[in-house]
Amino acid sequence: MKHLIINASRKYSHINRNIYGHFSEHLGRGIYGGIYVGEDSEIPNIHGIRQDVVEALRYIKVPVIRWPGGCFAEYYNWKDGIGPKEERRRIVNKSWGGVVEDNSFGTHEFLDFCELVGCSPYIVGNVASGTARELSEWIEYINSDDESLMADLRRKNGRDKPWNVQYIGIGNENWGCGGQMRPEYYADVYRQFATCIRTCGGTKPYKIACGADGPDYKWTEVLMRLAGNYMDSLSLHYYTMPGYYTTDEYKWEKKGPATGFDESNYYRTLRRALFIDELICRHKYIMDQYDPDKRVSITVDEWGTWHAPEPGTNPAFLYQQNTMRDAIVAAVSLNIFNSHSDRVKMANLAQMINVLQAVILTEGNKMVLTPTYHVYDLYKGHQDSTLIESYVQQDMIGTEEAQVPAVHVSASEARDGSIRVTLVNLSASESQRIRCLLCSGEYHFASVRYISGEMNDCNEFDKPPRVSVKTMPDIQIEDNSFIIDIPACSVNEIVLR
Ligand code: AHR
């Protein structure tokens, strides 16, 4: 038996709800088919936006969505996506598969979609092939309530009130698809763009600079030194690519299959996912040198598993299945983001629908909620609560090559005084008996919801779901202590009242 200690009298940072955010790009079926089907579709829709998807996203309280990319953002001209649909420019999506992009989903559609979901929009500006003027006009179009040229254009296109969009990304992966820039050069370009983006309609932009590719600590150091004073946040991208050795032991593949993997691949995936803790610690350490008051936040605006595409699908569409392994990755990552919520104020899973580690898969009029979706359901109560102290006794498990902790925990106190503990059992095969000790307060019962299964379990179209949220009978708490058995390969939400 392991001991879990929860101490609500030791309070840490506020858990910003945006840590539970998402990312959706013009990539594969992420937007078209996944979110937008058009008004003439037989699939129930609201002005072309899928009703089933909106309802599912509202249920998990999606707080923020990042759009239009990704690499796509760096070739996007927002003026292509406004005005009458039949007059919108058709372009080729050179970033993702060379397919035709008819721009029928543009600024109005995205911002209407966010209103339907009840979340904040996060817009990424084009730095590599766009200009500071284009981005500042886009913001004027979206946010201005003056008699200005761009605000008038918006009114002409049917939207009277401004949308008041706060989150603005200045570029995406400018060390890669966003211009192959060196950090010193990007820092200057960033300063130029940041200066041109002004408050419009009373909404002060929250400026997010392009951050490092995983462990590129130099990027963070240079950006903080040269441009730290001009940003509200610095992003970070990190993908979990479990990989495998092929028959030729020297050949290393970064991406392995999304399903049908073995235990060594399972533990290697979890090991790589847990690495994000070290990454954030080290980037934070650098940021602390330049910004000890933590004014500049970290936005982990692309993270998640990146497996090989599903056989038979367009490889440029990055469509992958989603198993309990992905759910465990999501759960430990979200626990880690909570633990760094003094600096991490937003995180966006890549990508929301039909792309990479999606929470929803669609096929025509069908929709599947993935195991990762259910993690967001189990974790939604952490949003806007306060991180509190938690500690769990540990064994290391896994394979010789990839050792991981057996259990992983995060705990928070909600505004109503209830405590939420999210407890993950990383073992593929062993359940865990845990004695939970509550160091302060007085609690009477614990309600538990969970998902569990075999590591390869996933939800498929036209089949009953293998992974769904289940409830345990309430547990009586006596003398601020109780025992819980958590199944192998499971994610558990325990609410103490
Ligand atoms: O999420 C897919 C791609 O991964 C994004 O477009 C890019 O920013 C990243 O490299």
Side-chain angles (χ1 to χ4, degrees):
M1 179 150 66
K2 296 185 172 58
H3 285 83
L4 165 68
I5 314 256
I6 304 293
N7 181 7
S9 68
R10 173 68 61 94
K11 296 187 184 4
Y12 299 114
S13 34
H14 169 248
I15 299 176
N16 194 310
R17 75 176 82 148
N18 290 336
I19 285 179
Y20 294 86
H22 292 265
F23 165 43
S24 199
E25 178 170 11
H26 287 243
L27 192 178
R29 297 186 299 112
I31 302 284
Y32 300 109
I35 295 173
Y36 190 75
V37 287
E39 280 173 300
D40 299 334
S41 169
E42 283 173 2
I43 300 171
N45 67 81
I46 313 144
H47 306 306
I49 293 164
R50 287 182 79 121
Q51 211 168 327
D52 52 355
V53 163
V54 168
E55 277 161 25
L57 297 176
R58 285 185 73 86
Y59 184 70
I60 55 170
K61 293 191 173 11
V62 166
V64 61
I65 301 173
R66 176 177 185 254
W67 173 86
C71 295
F72 180 80
E74 290 290 8
Y75 300 89
Y76 184 62
N77 186 335
W78 67 272
K79 285 187 180 158
D80 293 345
I82 56 167
K85 296 219 163 137
E86 57 289 357
E87 289 171 23
R88 293 191 190 176
R89 197 149 79 101
R90 288 164 74 83
I91 59 165
V92 171
N93 186 337
K94 293 207 177 101
S95 302
W96 301 110
V99 293
V100 171
E101 162 64 63
D102 69 2
N103 279 302
S104 53
F105 189 89
T107 301
H108 289 248
E109 290 75 19
F110 172 64
L111 296 174
D112 289 350
F113 168 58
C114 290
E115 282 185 345
L116 288 171
V117 172
C119 71
S120 302
Y122 165 12
I123 277 181
V124 180
N126 178 344
V127 167
S129 66
T131 61
R133 183 185 189 123
E134 274 166 29
L135 181 53
S136 86
E137 285 188 342
W138 196 7
I139 293 165
E140 184 188 324
Y141 184 89
I142 289 168
N143 284 348
S144 172
D145 55 3
D146 296 332
E147 293 293 311
S148 79
L149 199 61
M150 290 300 121
D152 287 344
L153 184 58
R154 182 193 69 232
R155 291 184 192 108
K156 189 173 144 240
N157 286 332
R159 171 80 184 199
D160 187 31
K161 282 193 307 188
W163 280 285
N164 306 323
V165 175
Q166 198 188 355
Y167 301 113
I168 308 291
I170 300 186
N172 171 73
E173 299 196 347
N174 300 91
W175 36 260
C177 66
Q180 302 287 351
M181 298 177 190
R182 292 170 303 116
E184 293 80 3
Y185 180 73
Y186 172 72
D188 280 345
V189 174
Y190 172 83
R191 286 164 59 138
Q192 179 205 351
F193 271 67
T195 313
C196 298
I197 291 168
R198 304 280 172 81
T199 297
C200 274
T203 304
K204 188 166 179 271
Y206 183 90
K207 298 169 195 167
I208 304 171
C210 163
D213 176 16
D216 183 354
Y217 303 111
K218 180 181 172 206
W219 185 277
T220 297
E221 195 282 321
V222 174
L223 261 290
M224 288 305 292
R225 178 159 47 82
L226 299 181
N229 288 342
Y230 306 91
M231 64 179 76
D232 296 301
S233 191
L234 185 61
S235 75
L236 172 66
H237 286 188
Y238 177 67
Y239 284 98
T240 296
M241 292 186 183
Y244 60 99
Y245 289 104
T246 59
T247 38
D248 169 359
E249 68 175 295
Y250 298 108
K251 188 160 177 259
W252 170 253
E253 298 284 349
K254 277 162 93 177
K255 295 164 200 157
T259 53
F261 48 86
D262 60 15
E263 251 188 44
S264 74
N265 188 295
Y266 170 80
Y267 286 112
R268 192 163 56 240
T269 310
L270 302 189
R271 177 87 219 117
R272 290 193 181 177
L274 289 160
F275 177 61
I276 203 163
D277 193 15
E278 177 183 324
L279 269 182
I280 296 174
C281 284
R282 294 184 65 177
H283 286 292
K284 270 170 82 170
Y285 178 75
I286 297 164
M287 292 174 80
D288 286 348
Q289 316 303 306
Y290 293 95
D291 176 36
D293 297 335
K294 303 187 199 300
R295 190 191 61 77
V296 179
S297 71
I298 295 178
T299 297
V300 190
D301 54 17
E302 286 188 30
W303 70 274
T305 52
W306 192 323
H307 305 305
E310 285 305 305
T313 63
N314 184 337
F317 284 9
L318 310 185
Y319 178 77
Q320 64 191 40
Q321 244 302 356
N322 191 292
T323 63
M324 271 308 297
R325 173 181 63 162
D326 297 280
I328 304 281
V329 168
V332 298
S333 304
L334 293 169
N335 281 351
I336 291 169
F337 299 152
N338 281 356
S339 75
H340 291 293
S341 51
D342 58 334
R343 190 67 95 168
V344 175
K345 301 293 177 190
M346 192 195 294
N348 310 76
L349 180 69
Q351 297 193 7
M352 194 163 69
I353 302 171
N354 291 334
V355 176
L356 300 177
Q357 191 176 350
V359 290
I360 292 175
L361 303 176
T362 66
E363 208 176 78
N365 62 359
K366 294 177 226 159
M367 178 180 84
V368 152
L369 304 177
T370 68
T372 300
Y373 174 91
H374 296 305
V375 174
Y376 279 82
D377 177 16
L378 297 177
Y379 276 58
K380 65 190 174 193
H382 278 312
Q383 293 187 22
D384 285 329
S385 60
T386 304
L387 182 73
I388 58 170
E389 184 175 43
S390 59
Y391 166 79
V392 67
Q393 265 180 333
Q394 224 31 286
D395 304 326
M396 294 304 276
I397 57 163
T399 57
E400 210 176 305
E401 168 210 13
Q403 290 275 295
V404 298
V407 275
H408 201 272
V409 67
S410 179
S412 69
E413 187 181 71
R415 289 202 189 111
D416 66 2
S418 61
I419 301 291
R420 175 164 285 90
V421 182
T422 45
L423 192 58
V424 190
N425 183 358
L426 284 75
S427 170
S429 51
E430 306 279 323
S431 64
Q432 308 282 345
R433 171 157 289 194
I434 293 180
R435 178 186 287 280
C436 181
L437 303 167
L438 309 169
C439 297
S440 63
E442 204 182 308
Y443 303 93
H444 305 287
F445 61 89
S447 326
V448 185
R449 297 191 304 148
Y450 68 101
I451 56 171
S452 68
E454 305 278 320
M455 62 187 181
N456 264 297
D457 278 355
C458 60
N459 293 337
E460 293 171 272
F461 297 103
D462 301 320
K463 289 190 184 162
R466 292 179 82 90
V467 181
S468 59
V469 174
K470 299 191 178 71
T471 307
M472 285 185 196
D474 276 359
I475 303 172
Q476 207 68 32
I477 302 179
E478 276 165 27
D479 298 329
N480 265 3
S481 155
F482 64 94
I483 292 176
I484 181 173
D485 289 307
I486 56 169
C489 196
S490 68
V491 182
N492 304 266
E493 180 215 36
I494 308 170
V495 180
L496 310 173
R497 288 197 169 87

